[in-house]
Structure formats: structure tokens, C-alpha cells
């Protein structure tokens, strides 16, 4: 079993939809949680960074962490075609950063 | 600032050939990393360097060597390439220099390597 599980998609939604992207994990030692966005043929870029449980909002993006369920989510409101990318969750355990495999999102006009 | 730069962007090798992937960052970061990204496997850490002069193995170091040439540059060498090393390679850097490095990692654009 992988430490971090993420549905690969693709997830295809119409413009303006609310998108929910999720990851589950098995290691209860994870304390720091991140979401990276990766456009096609580009490197990942950090989108959201949260510590421990709770919600964090940044514009149209909301990151949610539920440590009791070992589940994290990224919500995108009013999705745009420019949001089409692969979204990677990532978590830190002591000295290593573990990535999910990524979910490919397509937002069509 | 250019951020993290990588060369080359693309490379095709034959089995057994060697090559070095170059990475440089201009953000004065202490830590640098090499990852490989494969379909269905996500990003996996090959080697990292928490500070100039130090390097450590990551999750998948076999078949690779690294050199932290100075604070800016971190190279990855394949001594005898194998088809299993066909992948997209990303270099990243972050500000911190401790083993518990929770700082944001900034990624380069990647090198697409094919080994025939």
C-alpha cells in the first residue's frame, strides 16, 4: 500500500463548476500538507500549504485537512479552463516529502 | 530571477551511455533535490543536498550519482544508462538547510530522458 493515495483521474468538469480533489494517507506522522499544480510539460508549483488539521483559503482555492480520517482535499470554486492541470498532493514526514501520483483536471469552456 | 534552471530539456541515450543532468538555482537556497517522475508512480526523490558539500540518498538512488558543485549547482549523473531510467527528471530547491525541511520546494522545468 502506498503511503499517499490519489485518484489519477482525469476529472473533466465544465467551467464554473466546483472541483474537489482528494488524497488519503496511511502515515499518522504527517504534519505538513501541500498541494502542487503541474501544467503539462512543466515543473510542479506550490499552490497551498497547510499545517495540521483545518481549512485554509486562498482566493478560489480551499485546502482542507482531516487528520482523524487521514484525508486531505483541495476545493476549487468557479473553475476556469486555466485550472486544467495535474494536481499533486504532498506530505512531510520528518525529513522526507512524499507525493501523491496526481489527479489530472480538465475544465472545458 | 530565473529560479531553477535545468539542462538539457530533452535527451535520448543508448543503454550503457553516460550523461550528466545540470541544475542551477539563483535564489540562494541551501537545499537542492533531484526527483524522477513516472506515470502512476508520482515524484520520487533520488538524492538531495541539505547544504553545500553534503549529499544524501533518497528513495531511489541506485544507478545515479550527484555532485553539489557549489551552493547554486547540483548535478545528477547516470554512469551507465538503462531503459528503466527513462523518465522525467526534476530538480528542486528550498531555503532551509536542516534535515527537517518544511520549506517550500521550487521546481525546475524538467529534463525528459529516454534510454533506448
Amino acid at each position: 500500500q502506498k503511503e499517499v493515495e490519489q485518484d489519477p483521474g482525469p476529472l473533466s468538469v465544465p467551467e464554473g463548476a466546483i472541483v474537489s480533489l482528494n488524497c488519503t494517507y496511511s502515515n499518522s506522522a504527517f504534519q505538513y500538507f501541500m498541494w502542487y499544480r503541474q501544467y503539462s510539460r512543466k515543473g510542479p508549483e506550490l499552490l497551498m500549504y497547510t499545517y495540521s488539521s483545518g481549512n485554509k483559503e486562498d482566493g478560489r482555492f480551499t485546502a482542507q485537512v482531516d487528520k482523524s480520517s487521514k484525508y486531505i482535499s483541495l476545493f476549487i470554486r468557479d473553475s476556469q479552463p486555466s485550472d486544467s492541470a495535474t494536481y499533486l498532493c504532498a506530505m512531510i514526514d520528518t525529513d522526507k516529502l512524499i507525493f501523491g501520483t496526481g489527479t489530472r483536471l480538465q475544465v472545458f469552456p | 530571477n530565473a529560479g531553477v534552471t535545468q539542462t538539457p530539456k530533452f535527451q535520448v541515450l543508448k543503454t550503457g551511455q553516460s550523461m550528466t543532468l545540470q541544475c542551477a538555482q539563483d535564489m540562494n537556497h541551501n537545499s537542492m533535490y533531484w526527483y524522477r517522475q513516472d506515470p502512476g508512480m508520482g515524484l520520487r526523490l533520488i538524492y538531495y543536498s541539505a547544504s553545500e558539500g553534503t549529499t544524501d540518498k533518497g528513495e531511489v538512488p541506485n544507478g545515479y550519482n550527484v555532485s553539489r558543485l557549489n551552493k547554486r549547482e547540483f548535478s545528477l549523473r547516470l554512469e551507465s544508462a538503462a531503459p528503466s531510467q527513462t523518465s522525467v527528471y526534476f530538480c528542486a530547491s528550498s531555503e532551509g538547510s536542516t534535515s527537517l525541511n518544511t520549506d517550500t520546494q521550487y521546481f525546475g522545468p524538467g529534463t525528459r530522458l529516454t534510454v533506448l
Side-chain angles (χ1 to χ4, degrees):
Chain A
Q1 183 191 4
K2 292 180 182 176
E3 282 189 280
V4 179
E5 299 277 359
Q6 188 173 8
D7 188 324
L11 181 61
S12 186
V13 301
E15 184 175 356
I18 296 175
V19 175
S20 172
L21 303 165
N22 311 296
C23 285
T24 59
Y25 62 95
S26 57
N27 185 348
S28 58
F30 288 137
Q31 294 277 10
Y32 299 86
F33 304 90
M34 283 143 279
W35 286 95
Y36 280 81
R37 177 175 61 196
Q38 185 175 20
Y39 290 114
S40 181
R41 298 187 175 266
K42 302 286 187 186
E45 56 178 341
L46 183 69
L47 200 56
M48 299 284 284
Y49 190 145
T50 56
Y51 171 69
S52 199
S53 287
N55 291 1
K56 183 175 181 180
E57 190 172 318
D58 184 1
R60 297 185 294 109
F61 299 90
T62 300
Q64 192 172 77
V65 175
D66 182 348
K67 291 192 73 179
S68 62
S69 301
K70 297 191 181 71
Y71 189 87
I72 69 170
S73 300
L74 177 71
F75 298 97
I76 307 174
R77 289 184 300 281
D78 188 25
S79 56
Q80 302 295 309
S82 58
D83 295 327
S84 297
T86 296
Y87 290 80
L88 306 159
C89 63
M91 309 174 189
I92 291 181
D93 169 23
T94 56
D95 61 351
K96 57 183 179 179
L97 180 62
I98 309 294
F99 285 88
T101 52
T103 299
R104 190 154 62 94
L105 171 67
Q106 298 171 334
V107 181
F108 56 90
Chain B
N1 286 354
V4 179
T5 56
Q6 292 182 237
T7 55
K9 286 186 169 51
F10 303 92
Q11 184 72 49
V12 178
L13 293 178
K14 294 181 180 177
T15 297
Q17 288 185 317
S18 63
M19 78 162 295
T20 300
L21 282 65
Q22 306 287 353
C23 173
Q25 52 91 9
D26 62 1
M27 297 175 282
N28 201 36
H29 284 170
N30 289 296
S31 296
M32 297 185 73
Y33 311 81
W34 277 106
Y35 291 90
R36 60 179 290 175
Q37 187 174 37
D38 303 290
M41 300 295 292
L43 281 157
R44 292 181 292 167
L45 184 65
I46 304 171
Y47 271 95
Y48 67 99
S49 170
S51 61
E52 187 178 350
T54 68
T55 60
D56 287 286
K57 294 178 181 179
E59 183 184 353
V60 287
N62 291 347
Y64 306 95
N65 285 301
V66 290
S67 295
R68 183 74 183 267
L69 304 169
N70 48 54
K71 192 171 185 180
R72 289 188 65 248
E73 298 172 289
F74 188 38
S75 63
L76 178 72
R77 182 160 179 84
L78 287 70
E79 290 291 352
S80 179
S84 61
Q85 294 178 304
T86 293
S87 187
V88 182
Y89 291 86
F90 289 100
C91 177
S93 71
S94 65
E95 190 172 354
S97 61
T98 61
S99 60
L100 176 56
N101 193 338
T102 59
D103 294 329
T104 300
Q105 292 190 19
Y106 296 86
F107 285 80
T111 294
R112 295 181 175 274
L113 175 67
T114 301
V115 182
L116 302 175

